[in-house]
Amino acid sequence: MAHPLCRKQQQQPEIIPPKTPSGGPLSKILPAALTKNLGGTNTKRENIYTIPNWLTASRIIAAPFIGYCILHDHHTWALGLFAYAGITDLLDGWIARRWKLQTVVGTIIDPMADKMLMTVLVVALATKGALPLWLAVLILGRDVGLAISAIYYRWISLPPPKTFSRYWDFSLPSAEVRPTTISKYNTFFQLGLMGLTTVAPVVTAIDFSSTLSVLQYVVATTTVWSGASYVFSKDAVKILTQPEQQKKKAAEEAEKKKEEEEEEGKEEKQ
């Protein structure tokens, strides 16, 4: 028989799992804690790796190749890549609506792809003398102004903490761009002008000079008009996050309105 003192030494101490102050296991609380950012609030993310976004990204990649083909007189290749860009532009929007794959980042990179393609086409065609210099300056000036505005709104609407890496993390939605009606028409006319200007060197049997001249003045008008619409429209940019001061102010206004309604109800009863 073992000595009683030896039996006491063989007994293993009972291990009690750590508890949180509320009495629940720590493992149930830890995942929630890991999902909080430095500000103590949950940061919403969205899946940006969708088919429409990949198609949009392919248009961005194709843009410099189109410019290269125009500058080196590979007009057939330039026209083919331009047609690809137009088809994918229609296709990604249809897929996003059909299977509900719309994302906030899609509302940003889709017009970004259009503007990048437009910029490359404008610079390349103006360099080759196929597009008037005054029109190229007008189109590029408007796009530069819109790009600066987009950078500003992205920064002020980015959820804290505001860091360089988080600024370029497009899975963090902060602001949504809503194209105005005239802006959509402007994009249509601009793409039509660039497409016809790209077609002209390939289809030499038809004289497009008169049609191109009319389209150039139409594009100039819609470009100025659409730029002004972004400045004066209140619905062009929607901020998805609010700073704490704005939230506090909104809560105070709601409380004040509630008190006024209660006072009016008392006066009616009296």
Side-chain angles (χ1 to χ4, degrees):
M1 181 180 294
H3 193 276
L5 182 59
C6 295
R7 288 201 302 269
K8 289 183 180 180
Q9 293 177 348
Q10 292 174 356
Q11 291 179 355
Q12 299 294 329
E14 181 181 359
I15 300 175
I16 301 175
K19 299 285 185 176
T20 61
S22 59
L26 185 62
S27 60
K28 293 183 179 180
I29 304 300
L30 185 58
L34 291 176
T35 61
K36 294 183 179 181
N37 61 15
L38 297 179
T41 57
N42 291 330
T43 302
K44 183 180 179 181
R45 291 178 179 269
E46 64 178 3
N47 178 27
I48 63 175
Y49 302 104
T50 62
I51 292 177
N53 289 346
W54 281 115
L55 290 174
T56 302
S58 71
R59 295 208 312 276
I60 296 175
I61 296 172
F65 290 99
I66 297 175
Y68 176 86
C69 291
I70 292 174
L71 293 175
H72 291 80
D73 297 323
H74 302 311
H75 300 295
T76 303
W77 276 100
L79 183 59
L81 289 173
F82 181 81
Y84 167 81
I87 293 171
T88 54
D89 192 13
L90 297 174
L91 188 60
D92 64 8
W94 179 78
I95 293 175
R97 292 188 298 271
R98 176 65 177 79
W99 283 280
K100 297 180 179 180
L101 296 175
Q102 298 95 334
T103 61
V104 174
V105 68
T107 67
I108 298 174
I109 66 173
D110 185 68
M112 182 189 298
D114 293 337
K115 295 310 171 188
M116 180 173 289
L117 175 62
M118 188 60 55
T119 300
V120 169
L121 286 170
V122 168
V123 172
L125 292 173
T127 302
K128 298 294 290 185
L131 195 70
L133 182 60
W134 64 268
L135 183 58
V137 172
L138 185 63
I139 294 173
L140 295 178
R142 168 190 173 273
D143 291 344
V144 168
L146 292 179
I148 294 174
S149 299
I151 293 172
Y152 169 74
Y153 280 111
R154 170 65 175 171
W155 177 256
I156 65 172
S157 61
L158 183 67
K162 296 180 186 293
T163 62
F164 185 79
S165 59
R166 284 170 58 83
Y167 181 89
W168 295 106
D169 185 358
F170 291 112
S171 66
L172 297 171
S174 58
E176 182 178 6
V177 179
R178 296 179 176 181
T180 59
T181 302
I182 185 59
S183 178
K184 294 178 182 179
Y185 283 112
N186 178 59
T187 301
F188 173 77
F189 285 122
Q190 283 186 353
L191 290 174
L193 174 60
M194 301 306 155
L196 191 59
T197 307
T198 308
V199 168
V202 178
V203 185
T204 56
I206 303 175
D207 184 14
F208 294 101
S209 58
S210 300
T211 306
L212 287 172
S213 297
V214 173
L215 264 179
Q216 288 169 4
Y217 285 103
V218 171
V219 167
T221 303
T222 56
T223 298
V224 175
W225 190 355
S226 63
S229 70
Y230 278 107
V231 175
F232 297 105
S233 176
K234 297 181 180 179
D235 300 326
V237 179
K238 179 182 178 183
I239 304 298
L240 302 180
T241 57
Q242 284 185 312
E244 292 299 324
Q245 293 181 353
Q246 294 182 0
K247 290 182 179 180
K248 185 178 180 181
K249 184 178 179 181
E252 291 176 353
E253 290 178 352
E255 185 66 23
K256 185 178 179 180
K257 185 177 181 181
K258 183 178 179 181
E259 292 176 356
E260 291 176 353
E261 290 176 353
E262 291 177 353
E263 290 178 0
E264 290 177 357
K266 292 179 181 179
E267 291 177 356
E268 290 177 358
K269 289 181 180 180
Q270 293 176 354

